[in-house]
Amino acid sequence: MILLDGKACANHLNAKLKEKIAADTALGFRPPGLIVLMVGDNAASTIYVRNKERMAKDVGMFAKTVHLPESIQETELTTLIHEFNAADDIDGILVQLPLPAHINATSCLLAISPTKDVDGFHPTNAGCLTLGLPGLRPCTPKGILALLRHYHLSPAGKHAVVVGRSNIVGKPLALMLAEPLEYANATVTICHSQTTNLAAICKSADFLFCSVGKPHFFDRNYVKEGAVVVDVGITRTENGIEGDANFADLADHVLAISPVPGGVGPMTIAMLLQNTVQAWESRRK
Ligand code: GUN
């Protein structure tokens, strides 16, 4: 069984990015700048945001987290976003989700300049993905494809089943798997909570991507022998963070599987850094 080690892959990609940033700044370019906006004190978000800022600084970026009170009004938040849109030394703006219920997340995502939308959540970037045009792609799906590429596991021509249809993972992942590109070109099925016959569809997958938030749900009743399983689930339990796949049951059944933690998570942050550098380079031109 091949362990899809996202931590090792992310370390490798981050090291290469750090070299690129060092080389460009030695030529006189200012470092890439990333702003993370965090509203309230959601425990999981606080950890994610801290990791994003730390990793960005590690590769040589300017990175800052702006902590905002839970009580902030939507107009205050969008005003702040507009200020960072206009700031010349900022290339990437990320609003950590979820936002408090009184703030409309779509309005906030719309306020971010599409050129600085390093999460790839702005409707302009989502539209570019749908149309196959260049743009900033969502970090988790991008990280999953980068992880498969790192291990030379191409889904081209294969049946890829995506379980979960969120705007952050399932929907963009399905589109990216179907793009006419190397390490994509898959035949894609999207499953969700209303799918009948989930087990049979999953069992026909050569590549199975699970993102449902049900710890250990996907065992060998759902997985074909020799399949590639990418686990995008993250559920906090008393035993720590757990994935959607039953790793122990699948370990000697599959060709490859990503662990949780240490699989897709570190790849998401690596792609946030890649997107920030992409935005930095585009804004130079
Ligand atoms: N919350 C959970 N995942 C993400 C993500 O990828 N980006 C942002 N901004 N918030 C999230």
Side-chain angles (χ1 to χ4, degrees):
M1 180 266 287
I2 303 165
L3 185 73
L4 303 174
D5 185 342
K7 200 167 173 189
C9 179
N11 283 342
H12 172 77
L13 295 172
N14 293 345
K16 283 205 300 190
L17 200 68
K18 185 173 183 163
E19 281 175 19
K20 183 201 164 31
I21 293 169
D24 284 13
T25 51
L27 292 175
F29 291 106
R30 63 159 177 80
L34 173 68
I35 288 290
V36 179
L37 298 173
M38 160 91 196
V39 180
D41 55 6
N42 177 295
S45 292
T46 305
I47 297 168
Y48 296 151
V49 157
R50 196 183 300 143
N51 285 336
K52 288 172 185 181
E53 182 185 320
R54 182 173 54 83
M55 296 304 296
K57 285 181 170 158
D58 248 30
V59 298
M61 293 184 185
F62 167 79
K64 195 170 137 194
T65 304
V66 181
H67 291 271
L68 300 160
E70 180 91 18
S71 61
I72 192 170
Q73 292 304 304
E74 190 176 305
T75 50
E76 291 176 79
L77 183 55
T78 53
T79 301
L80 196 59
I81 292 170
H82 290 137
E83 283 172 24
F84 288 121
N85 283 343
D88 264 342
D89 54 349
I90 298 303
D91 305 289
I93 304 168
L94 180 157
V95 177
Q96 187 64 26
L97 303 176
L99 288 168
H102 68 276
I103 296 179
N104 183 316
T106 306
S107 308
C108 291
L109 298 179
L110 264 172
I112 300 173
S113 164
T115 61
K116 298 192 178 187
D117 169 39
V118 286
D119 257 331
F121 294 163
H122 190 286
T124 294
N125 283 315
C128 287
L129 168 57
T130 304
L131 299 174
L133 299 171
L136 290 159
R137 301 287 194 247
C139 302
T140 299
K142 185 169 169 163
I144 290 167
L145 294 195
L147 187 61
L148 293 179
R149 177 186 288 269
H150 184 78
Y151 285 93
H152 307 290
L153 294 167
S154 175
K158 302 286 174 64
H159 187 204
V161 172
V162 177
V163 191
R165 54 178 160 183
S166 72
N167 291 334
I168 295 182
V169 181
K171 240 187 275 179
L173 175 59
L175 287 165
M176 287 171 73
L177 283 164
E179 280 195 283
L181 295 173
E182 209 196 345
Y183 286 92
N185 272 321
T187 304
V188 182
T189 302
I190 307 180
C191 299
H192 46 74
S193 56
Q194 303 306 302
T195 297
T196 50
N197 246 344
L198 179 66
I201 297 169
C202 291
K203 208 137 191 168
S204 75
D206 303 304
F207 285 73
L208 179 65
F209 303 86
C210 25
S211 179
V212 299
K214 292 186 185 177
H216 310 304
F217 181 83
F218 293 90
D219 57 18
R220 59 181 73 196
N221 294 314
Y222 288 82
V223 180
K224 175 159 81 178
E225 197 177 346
V228 173
V229 176
V230 178
D231 190 346
V232 201
I234 31 168
T235 308
R236 272 152 209 289
T237 72
E238 59 266 32
N239 303 320
I241 292 175
E242 305 207 65
D244 287 347
N246 186 332
F247 190 94
D249 186 56
L250 294 176
D252 59 356
H253 180 73
V254 295
L255 170 62
I257 184 168
S258 69
V260 176
V264 173
M267 292 301 295
T268 296
I269 299 187
M271 294 303 118
L272 170 67
L273 305 180
Q274 302 262 338
N275 278 352
T276 305
V277 165
Q278 183 182 323
W280 180 53
E281 290 190 295
S282 311
R283 293 185 60 255
R284 260 186 221 168
K285 291 176 190 138

